[in-house]
Amino acid sequence: MADLDVDHVRCLVTADEFMTLGLSVWYKNNRTIRWKLKSRVGKFVSYYGCKPKIVATVWEDLQRTEVEDARLDDAHLNPKHFLMALHTLKKYPTDDERMGPWDVSRDEGREAVWYYLSRLQALKEEVIVWPEDWGDDIWIISVDGTHCWVKEPTHPDWSQDKRFFSHKHKKAGLNYELGISISAPQLVWMNGPFPAGRSDNKIFSMDGLKDRLLNLGKKAIGDKGYNGHREVCSTFNAHDRRGVKKFKSRALKRHETFNNMTKRFDCLRNRFRHGVDRFAMFFESICVLCQYQCEDDMPLYDVLIEDIMNND
């Protein structure tokens, strides 16, 4: 749409308005007005996974975005339904559990949730971006796979499909490969989902990231699961200097911090029941929200502290 005014927000909702609206679903008669601000924000986060100011920012960006698949249309400018979608990520209710608090039918609630999550997922094109210029740095990202427990996929012959067996959960699972910039609190690579039985090493070497690093002449930092690719991925090495060991350790722990952020949402922490086809929409929507959090109130710590390499 060439004539689209991407700066025009047709439905502006402030952070305070989102907080009032979101809490009113669960607490009637203005009960929360007597609470301290910190308590109100904390309770809001417990239901929706993000602070009200982040929800308000994402709501505006879904109207401003130039990504057509992410942009909200006028028929779906419903802040309450947007909160309902966020609540689905955070608390992962069933359709029946959603009907009462949100005053929607089963089909209406499901349709609204799918709509907003699909738009949130599409926003990754603007939020999760591989930089064009990495400068002179050699190590540019940390890489790791994160497993999520899912409902056992159907198999034509067997009750279980061993391709989906997760060694982390001892159950069926899916795996996403994530790459996080070392120099900035930025998720820059997201690849998946893959059956959990497919190793991190194989995904790295065969599904795009290794080739991309080779072409750039850059390196990633990974755990021992990424051994065997010294030209593009540095792992633990007993002969490293103390400062290098600390640098690698901090990069991996920082990456784990992001992985843990995604698992604060119940749909990823508990068994995902909506099938493999829907999983990407949920997972990638959550990664978009986590990236907003990293840029606002939950920044990833700086790996490149001055004394880390000098403390040798």
Side-chain angles (χ1 to χ4, degrees):
M1 298 176 62
D3 59 346
L4 176 70
D5 180 7
V6 296
D7 291 325
H8 178 59
V9 177
R10 289 101 68 203
C11 180
L12 178 64
V13 184
T14 68
D16 286 343
E17 289 170 337
F18 263 122
M19 182 159 59
T20 299
L21 177 61
L23 293 178
S24 70
V25 175
W26 311 101
Y27 302 96
K28 309 302 181 183
N29 302 322
N30 297 323
R31 173 182 167 188
T32 62
I33 292 178
R34 301 190 299 271
W35 296 0
K36 293 182 179 180
L37 178 60
K38 184 177 180 180
S39 296
R40 299 181 73 209
V41 171
K43 188 61 70 174
F44 184 93
V45 172
S46 73
Y47 285 114
Y48 304 106
C50 301
K51 290 183 177 180
K53 62 180 179 179
I54 293 179
V55 174
T57 299
V58 175
W59 174 254
E60 287 189 32
D61 287 352
L62 287 172
Q63 297 175 67
R64 297 177 190 270
T65 179
E66 295 182 345
V67 180
E68 188 171 352
D69 288 341
R71 194 183 313 121
L72 300 179
D73 58 48
D74 290 340
H76 289 87
L77 289 175
N78 188 325
K80 188 174 181 180
H81 283 181
F82 180 54
L83 286 173
M84 182 171 63
L86 297 182
H87 179 259
T88 298
L89 294 176
K90 178 60 178 173
K91 292 298 188 180
Y92 203 35
T94 64
D95 291 339
D96 288 339
E97 290 170 339
R98 184 190 300 122
M99 291 170 63
W102 297 97
D103 192 25
V104 293
S105 68
R106 185 179 287 103
D107 291 341
E108 180 187 4
R110 187 186 299 120
E111 180 183 352
V113 167
W114 293 161
Y115 174 83
Y116 281 105
L117 293 190
S118 67
R119 294 307 188 267
L120 195 55
Q121 177 191 19
L123 198 59
K124 66 183 180 181
E125 292 187 28
E126 289 185 351
V127 176
I128 302 171
V129 181
W130 185 272
E132 294 184 4
D133 183 10
W134 287 99
D136 297 327
D137 294 334
I138 298 299
W139 289 291
I140 59 173
I141 65 170
S142 58
V143 61
D144 193 19
T146 180
H147 286 206
C148 298
W149 178 23
V150 299
K151 180 180 178 181
E152 187 74 45
T154 58
H155 189 278
D157 300 314
W158 310 103
S159 60
Q160 295 178 323
D161 189 337
K162 65 179 182 180
R163 296 176 304 162
F164 289 88
F165 180 76
S166 168
H167 67 276
K168 296 181 180 180
H169 295 290
K170 308 303 180 185
K171 303 179 180 72
L174 290 171
N175 187 12
Y176 254 93
E177 180 184 60
L178 300 181
I180 297 176
S181 171
I182 290 175
S183 61
Q186 176 71 45
L187 178 66
V188 297
W189 176 265
M190 182 167 58
N191 194 17
F194 299 97
R198 186 175 176 86
S199 71
D200 291 346
N201 197 305
K202 184 173 291 187
I203 293 170
F204 175 79
S205 62
M206 300 180 63
D207 291 284
L209 185 53
K210 180 179 179 178
D211 289 341
R212 179 167 291 205
L213 292 169
L214 280 172
N215 291 336
L216 290 173
K218 304 293 187 180
K219 291 186 177 183
I221 294 176
D223 60 25
K224 292 182 179 180
Y226 292 90
N227 284 343
H229 309 282
R230 295 180 60 185
E231 71 278 22
V232 289
C233 189
S234 297
T235 59
F236 172 79
N237 187 331
H239 299 290
D240 282 339
R241 292 179 303 163
R242 182 166 175 251
V244 174
K245 289 180 180 178
K246 189 173 182 181
F247 171 72
K248 290 180 179 179
S249 175
R250 281 177 60 85
L252 294 178
K253 288 178 180 178
R254 177 175 176 265
H255 194 117
E256 192 62 32
T257 297
F258 187 92
N259 287 349
N260 289 337
M261 287 174 63
T262 67
K263 300 298 174 62
R264 291 175 181 169
F265 292 82
D266 284 357
C267 65
L268 298 187
R269 182 168 62 243
N270 301 323
R271 188 184 70 156
F272 185 79
R273 62 177 183 272
H274 280 95
V276 174
D277 293 339
R278 294 278 187 191
F279 181 78
M281 181 170 65
F282 278 72
F283 185 91
E284 294 177 7
S285 294
I286 288 172
C287 284
V288 168
L289 293 176
C290 288
Q291 181 55 47
Y292 273 91
Q293 291 175 311
C294 287
E295 295 172 1
D296 190 275
D297 65 318
M298 297 176 66
L300 299 174
Y301 61 78
D302 186 3
V303 177
L304 305 173
I305 56 176
E306 284 187 14
D307 62 345
I308 193 169
M309 300 300 289
N310 295 326
N311 187 18
D312 194 3

